[in-house]
Amino acid sequence: MKTINLNQLAMYDELAMRANANFARLETSRYWPETIFEMDQHAWPADWEGRTMLALTMHAQATGRTPAFLDDILEATLGRLNAKGYIGPVYDDGVTHEQAMAGHSWMLRALVEYYNWKKDSDPAQADKAMTILNSIVEGLYIPQAENYTRYPFDLATRDQDANWILSHKQSKTKSHAGSSDCGCAYIAIDGATAAYELTGNKGLEPLIKNMIASYAVLPREELHVQTHATLSGIRGVIRHYRVTGDKASLDLAVKTFDLYKTKAWTDHYANYNWFGVPRWTEPCAVVDSFIISQELWEVTGEEGYLRDAHHIFYNAIAHAQRLNGAFGTDQCVGAKVKPPTEMWGADTCESDEAVIFARAQTYEVFWCCNMRGGDGLSRAAMYSFYTDKNTVTVPYYHTCKATLELENGSLKLHEKANYPFSGKVNFKCLENTAGEVTLKFFAPEAWSGGGASTVLLNGVEQVVTFENGFISLAVDLKADDEIVLNTKLKFSVLNGNECINNSKDHFSFRHGPMILGVHSVLENETADATEINIGRDAAMKPLADGRYEAVDTAGQAVLLQPMWGKENLIEPLDVYQVLFSK
């Protein structure tokens, strides 16, 4: 089963709007070729540039628009390589710079994606990307293999380890202060495995082996390891499984993702930035978790992972994107943590009160999250369709046009959707040379009609089957045939997700996969939002687009609404109360 090629997909709905807004944000002055190499002030060589190049490469394919400066950044990168072939200062032999390994991982990921995109249409540009990639692999990555057998785990002495320059405490804004990215060395599993998958460079094998072996025993909770580093590592481990078939790698990915969900997952499906320290969320990690959920569904077929991906995308990613297209951090919903203003400069973030509001903490994280958000939005488009022989699987619903290459020919569809507000989706066949195809539509019983969903072909109900969350039917479509999927999205009340560290004294209202909240606008960034109480059995009056009118315990009418929706892209003082007291 493989995803649709992005050059065979044209998006038209809110996802397209969000992608284009972020794309434009990534062409503002912080991301110009003449400024981008000077932006980092915290010893993250290749990180800002690599994340930007990756996002622009993905956006270009998902939107069909040519990036204004991507090729210029690539050209400038060639001239920035140091004497050993990588970006930034030259490190002593035998010394591994944790942040350099992490930063160059994003550069490797970008170069792999760029090469695969350009290798047929512009081989000369693809060759430039390959030149940089090989230089980084040989000059920086392969020499670090031995040091990954001795990443320092001891909390008391780790900063004195002569073999490692570890991530240091740094303050980028007042609300993003005094933090380190502990464990970011393992982000490099992602870049190393991506380079290995593309090139087959045998020299990477000892490095990848040692990285994964060390990652498997990393004491994440004891060291308060960054969840972004943990999740990026999982993506690399999953890729290693796909490339090698090593079942132990898949088991490690599943085990580590389970740890994340049970120990560091907010109630709105974002992340604690570190294990045990829920000071803020980070869209970089949220996007990682979205991709992991999707890929674990791909390789295991377990419906729960796909439900996770929907929850993450339509709640955590939805709220993390801002009105200007940027991405920023939020408070950790459900965690017992102090308000942001009380954490500025504080040694601890612990509190007796749970966070019940989805609220921006750092409105725009322009040094990393803007770029990772771009990759996430592009991959959401890519996940719209999967093909396998003559089967088309549709895990998400977006208004789009798609050309699907199948075993016996191609199928061209025009899809019109208003998901996840409505479970009614229309498909029109534009052309079919593949003959009979099997169509599979995601309709999980958890929040939709499940097996009671119906499919109409030109107005006539079809015989369908239901398995693993998908409605399936076989059909030989002709041009202008119309298919209508009807799966009713449910209103529900949930107590929370798997995370044992979140409050158990609250619940949330849902429409389909979306959490519903009460929106308000604060007077200023230090103001507190007013808690509203709504009984879990309160009467709900359905309105349009996933909104409901409820009556709170004071007898006042209250509007519950989702965080997904083009009108819901947040400004700095917007908040949503998404948890309610039992």
Side-chain angles (χ1 to χ4, degrees), residues 181-192:
D181 291 16
C182 176
C184 65
Y186 297 96
I187 291 176
I189 302 174
D190 186 30

Side-chain angles (χ1 to χ4, degrees), residues 87-158:
I87 304 293
V90 172
Y91 304 111
D92 293 340
D93 292 344
V95 175
T96 302
H97 191 287
E98 182 171 29
Q99 293 184 176
M101 291 298 288
H104 281 80
S105 182
W106 297 112
M107 179 62 73
L108 289 175
R109 283 284 319 288
L111 295 167
V112 168
E113 294 291 350
Y114 186 94
Y115 178 86
N116 285 330
W117 174 42
K118 290 286 190 177
K119 62 184 178 182
D120 296 324
S121 63
D122 195 341
Q125 285 297 108
D127 286 346
K128 292 177 184 178
M130 183 60 75
T131 296
I132 301 169
L133 184 150
N134 286 331
S135 181
I136 292 169
V137 165
E138 296 293 338
L140 179 63
Y141 265 49
I142 288 176
Q144 312 309 320
E146 184 62 26
N147 271 359
Y148 269 90
T149 65
R150 49 178 179 251
Y151 182 81
F153 290 165
D154 186 83
L155 189 60
T157 62
R158 65 192 309 268

Side-chain angles (χ1 to χ4, degrees), residues 226-415:
Q226 186 198 39
T227 54
H228 174 32
T230 300
L231 294 165
S232 290
I234 293 175
R235 290 193 294 99
V237 171
I238 293 172
R239 186 181 295 107
H240 186 255
Y241 164 71
R242 288 181 136 161
V243 172
T244 67
D246 176 38
K247 180 62 163 50
S249 290
L250 177 58
D251 293 342
L252 175 61
V254 168
K255 177 183 176 181
T256 310
F257 194 49
D258 284 346
L259 175 70
Y260 164 74
K261 291 198 298 179
T262 55
K263 296 295 183 69
W265 211 18
T266 73
D267 273 343
H268 75 313
Y269 304 100
N271 68 310
Y272 293 10
N273 198 42
W274 301 271
F275 282 97
V277 188
R279 287 180 66 182
W280 55 69
T281 70
E282 188 177 12
C284 295
V286 177
V287 168
D288 283 336
S289 69
F290 172 58
I291 296 171
I292 290 165
S293 300
Q294 192 72 22
E295 292 188 345
L296 286 177
W297 168 72
E298 292 172 10
V299 298
T300 68
E302 293 184 18
E303 177 197 337
Y305 289 123
L306 188 52
R307 293 201 308 268
D308 288 344
H310 278 247
H311 281 138
I312 293 163
F313 189 73
Y314 290 112
N315 296 291
I317 290 178
H319 188 265
Q321 188 170 14
R322 312 317 196 194
L323 184 63
N324 62 4
F327 281 80
T329 64
D330 293 337
Q331 293 186 43
C332 293
V333 175
K336 293 185 175 182
V337 61
K338 293 177 180 178
T341 51
E342 295 181 23
M343 283 194 284
W344 296 343
D347 293 329
T348 179
C349 65
E350 294 179 2
S351 170
D352 293 331
E353 300 295 326
V355 175
I356 63 173
F357 296 96
R359 174 179 176 178
Q361 181 145 322
T362 301
Y363 184 72
E364 179 176 3
V365 181
F366 49 80
W367 56 90
C368 59
C369 296
N370 280 1
M371 301 81 119
R372 294 302 299 132
D375 187 25
L377 293 171
S378 299
R379 291 187 187 278
M382 189 171 70
Y383 298 151
S384 297
F385 296 93
Y386 286 76
T387 59
D388 181 26
K389 298 181 180 178
N390 251 34
T391 295
V392 175
T393 300
V394 189
Y396 299 87
Y397 305 106
H398 304 289
T399 297
C400 63
K401 289 183 179 178
T403 299
L404 301 156
E405 299 298 337
L406 301 168
E407 185 176 57
N408 298 329
S410 63
L411 172 64
K412 295 182 180 180
L413 295 174
H414 184 192
E415 177 184 357

